[in-house]
Amino acid sequence: MFFSWAMVACFVTFQYCRERQLKAESIDNMLQVNNLHIIDALENENYKPDELTLGIPRLKGLRITILNLKGDVLFDNAIDTIANTENHINRPEIAQAENSGSGYTLRRRSASTDKPYFYSATKGKKYIVRSAVPYDHSLTQMLATDSDFLWIMLSITALFSVIGYFVTLKSGEVISRLNDFAARAEKGERIYADLAFPKNELGSISSHIVKLYSHLQEAIVQRDIQHEKAIFEQQEKIRIKRQLTNNINHELKTPVAAILVCLETIIEHPELDPEKKQEFIQRAYSSADRLRSLLNDVSLITRMEDGNIAIDKKEVSLAGIIAESIDESKLDHPDSEMEIITNLPDGELTIKGNEQILISVFRNLLDNAIEYSAGTQIDITVTETNDAYAITLADNGKGVAEEHLPHLFERFYRIDKGRSRLLGGTGLGLSIVKNAVLLHGGNITVKNKPQGGLQFDFTLSK
């Protein structure tokens, strides 16, 4: 309230001074015109100072003083004699005119007449002319500001003070609730966005503040959850890597030990017959080949875990990848009587991916079905959508027990460990499949078919 009145007082004072200044300049302009007229008469028409008869109809009691450029009075129509008149060069209006060509003094008492005047001086080439009007009641009225303006401003201020008083009373409830909110926030209590406020502008602002704070609290909670989740995932990665290292170490021991036994036998028994020696060499070669497959699979998984930075993708033909995978599987299993049937949509099936990794997906699934399913047929079906391919690869074999299904994609997980090693499996095939599908923006699931056999369903983004 006090601030409002202070602002009004400052504004009124400024406006009063400004209006007074404008009116003073208006009077000065009128006198300056008169001064220029006199200077023109003196300097161009060769009038003498005492020959001038001057007057301004709107201003009574006009006083004319003519000085030379040194400030000596040559003529003054308000005094009888100028013999003893002092030099005017230091008078404020004369000094201003001397410096800038014109000047005025709002109210100064004359030394010769002892009356207050409004002075306006103008400098010419030879003379300085000063006009003055008495600072009487008429001039005071001209310089006075409009009192109506002052009363209007006071009335408006009073009205706003009353309105402000009632608004302050009404906003007290909002301030009280804001204070309660601040106290609860300081204690770290949970703040919900449904905290009610009065339906006014301040209440709306307060409600927005509470909602923003509530959202901030929720964001912090979510951040902490994500942070804990990230820590858990990091620890899980460390655990999986440690487990992978241990599994790799365990898996490497078997082929390395077999190779060493075969080579030691050949070295320590040079008298072995050629057929026996060839058998040990063949065993060593098979173990070395299995070791190579294991290292290749580990390297492939490592590359996929590095993400897209380590693996280049380009436009490739999905139909071509499936055909090449089938051809390679048939070459690796020449004795297999498994029939592979494909059901692909017409047209060119293009996908952005890594060709070799996509081939490994179909190769591992085909090899898995050929070696372990004991079936006679594999069906590959592709369905195209706007942004992906849905693929089903199923066999008509014996399937697997339900308890094994959740673990099939785990690294080194084997249903029949002895048979898997005998067939040269590394235990990483289906894990490679899952990582490769995820790398290409898809997902994969596995289930037993009702009529028998195992069915893999997965998607690949285009």
Side-chain angles (χ1 to χ4, degrees):
M1 196 79 68
F2 172 78
F3 179 75
S4 298
W5 281 96
M7 287 291 293
V8 170
C10 292
F11 181 76
V12 169
T13 302
F14 169 78
Q15 190 66 18
Y16 172 81
C17 295
R18 182 172 176 272
E19 188 173 350
R20 186 179 176 86
Q21 179 72 17
L22 289 175
K23 290 184 177 181
E25 290 177 355
S26 177
I27 296 173
D28 177 59
N29 289 336
M30 293 169 57
L31 295 177
Q32 288 290 333
V33 171
N34 182 70
N35 292 345
L36 290 173
H37 176 68
I38 295 174
I39 290 174
D40 183 66
L42 291 173
E43 296 183 350
N44 298 325
E45 300 179 13
N46 296 320
Y47 277 83
K48 293 182 179 179
D50 55 359
E51 295 177 347
L52 296 171
T53 302
L54 304 164
I56 298 178
R58 286 176 294 176
L59 298 176
K60 296 181 180 180
L62 179 66
R63 179 181 175 185
I64 302 297
T65 305
I66 300 175
L67 307 91
N68 59 22
L69 297 181
K70 296 180 180 180
D72 298 323
V73 178
L74 305 178
F75 172 79
D76 192 319
N77 65 348
I79 55 177
D80 297 332
T81 178
I82 59 173
N84 297 322
T85 304
E86 65 180 18
N87 189 281
H88 284 29
I89 196 67
N90 293 322
R91 303 289 172 88
E93 66 279 4
I94 305 299
Q96 291 178 30
E98 183 69 24
N99 292 328
S100 60
S102 64
Y104 74 90
T105 301
L106 186 62
R107 183 173 184 174
R108 183 170 59 78
R109 187 172 294 276
S110 173
S112 57
T113 64
D114 197 31
K115 295 179 181 180
Y117 283 92
F118 181 100
Y119 294 97
S120 178
T122 307
K123 180 183 178 183
K125 295 180 180 179
K126 300 178 181 179
Y127 301 96
I128 297 175
V129 176
R130 184 185 69 180
S131 298
V133 291
Y135 207 103
D136 53 12
H137 181 69
S138 60
L139 184 60
T140 303
Q141 286 183 326
M142 290 183 64
L143 292 173
T145 57
D146 189 358
S147 60
D148 292 339
F149 169 78
L150 179 60
W151 285 111
I152 291 173
M153 290 302 300
L154 292 176
S155 299
I156 292 174
T157 304
L159 177 62
F160 277 109
S161 297
V162 173
I163 295 174
Y165 173 75
F166 287 105
V167 170
T168 302
L169 288 179
K170 195 171 182 180
S171 63
E173 183 181 357
V174 178
I175 295 174
S176 177
R177 294 189 183 185
L178 272 178
N179 185 53
D180 177 64
F181 156 71
R184 291 174 59 191
E186 186 178 7
K187 294 177 182 178
E189 297 181 10
R190 186 72 173 93
I191 306 295
Y192 295 96
D194 58 355
L195 187 62
F197 283 92
K199 294 183 179 180
N200 53 36
E201 187 173 352
L202 183 58
S204 177
I205 295 173
S206 302
S207 178
H208 284 303
I209 292 173
V210 173
K211 287 180 181 179
L212 287 173
Y213 184 81
S214 176
H215 294 160
L216 176 61
Q217 278 191 325
E218 182 65 25
I220 292 174
V221 171
Q222 293 299 323
R223 181 204 64 186
D224 293 341
I225 293 174
Q226 292 298 325
H227 181 65
E228 292 176 1
K229 183 178 179 181
I231 293 176
F232 174 78
E233 290 178 352
Q234 184 66 25
Q235 292 174 345
E236 188 67 10
K237 285 182 180 180
I238 294 174
R239 184 190 67 80
I240 292 174
K241 285 184 178 180
R242 186 182 295 114
Q243 184 182 37
L244 177 62
T245 302
N246 293 334
N247 289 337
I248 292 173
N249 182 53
H250 176 74
E251 293 294 328
L252 289 175
K253 287 181 180 178
T254 302
V256 170
I259 293 170
L260 289 175
V261 168
C262 293
L263 294 179
E264 287 174 358
T265 302
I266 294 173
I267 293 172
E268 294 177 0
H269 300 279
E271 72 281 1
L272 285 175
D273 60 82
E275 291 184 3
K276 200 67 175 177
K277 186 179 294 185
Q278 183 64 31
E279 180 184 346
F280 281 112
I281 293 174
Q282 185 62 40
R283 288 183 183 179
Y285 174 80
S286 297
S287 297
D289 186 59
R290 181 169 177 269
L291 181 61
R292 176 189 59 78
S293 297
L294 177 63
L295 294 176
N296 288 339
D297 288 347
V298 171
S299 175
L300 183 58
I301 288 180
T302 302
R303 287 178 60 207
M304 286 190 291
E305 287 183 344
D306 287 340
N308 295 332
I309 297 176
I311 298 175
D312 295 327
K313 292 183 178 181
K314 61 182 180 179
E315 293 289 337
V316 294
S317 170
L318 181 60
I321 288 172
I322 294 174
E324 185 174 346
S325 302
I326 293 173
D327 292 340
E328 289 184 4
S329 284
K330 289 180 177 179
L331 289 174
D332 287 347
H333 304 87
D335 298 330
S336 174
E337 296 180 357
M338 184 81 79
E339 182 182 8
I340 302 174
I341 300 174
T342 59
N343 182 14
L344 308 181
D346 295 332
E348 186 176 358
L349 308 179
T350 58
I351 183 173
K352 187 174 183 180
N354 184 282
E355 185 174 10
Q356 293 304 316
I357 292 178
L358 289 174
I359 289 176
S360 72
V361 170
F362 291 94
R363 278 297 310 277
N364 277 295
L365 292 177
L366 289 171
D367 291 347
N368 188 73
I370 292 171
E371 293 171 358
Y372 304 111
S373 70
T376 59
Q377 180 176 309
I378 299 174
D379 293 294
I380 301 176
T381 303
V382 178
T383 304
E384 185 177 5
T385 62
N386 290 332
D387 56 357
Y389 294 104
I391 304 166
T392 298
L393 192 149
D395 61 67
N396 63 347
K398 61 184 180 180
V400 300
E402 290 293 328
E403 66 267 19
H404 294 300
L405 288 177
H407 307 287
L408 287 184
F409 296 109
E410 294 179 5
R411 295 167 182 171
F412 299 107
Y413 186 82
R414 293 186 176 92
I415 297 173
D416 186 348
K417 297 183 179 180
R419 185 165 181 265
S420 297
R421 286 198 176 94
L422 183 62
L423 294 173
T426 64
L428 293 173
L430 293 182
S431 178
I432 289 173
V433 170
K434 182 177 181 179
N435 281 277
V437 170
L438 293 175
L439 180 66
H440 288 80
N443 195 17
I444 185 168
T445 59
V446 60
K447 64 181 180 181
N448 282 312
K449 294 166 57 179
Q451 63 272 29
L454 206 60
Q455 177 175 315
F456 292 90
D457 296 295
F458 59 99
T459 58
L460 297 172
S461 297
K462 289 185 178 180

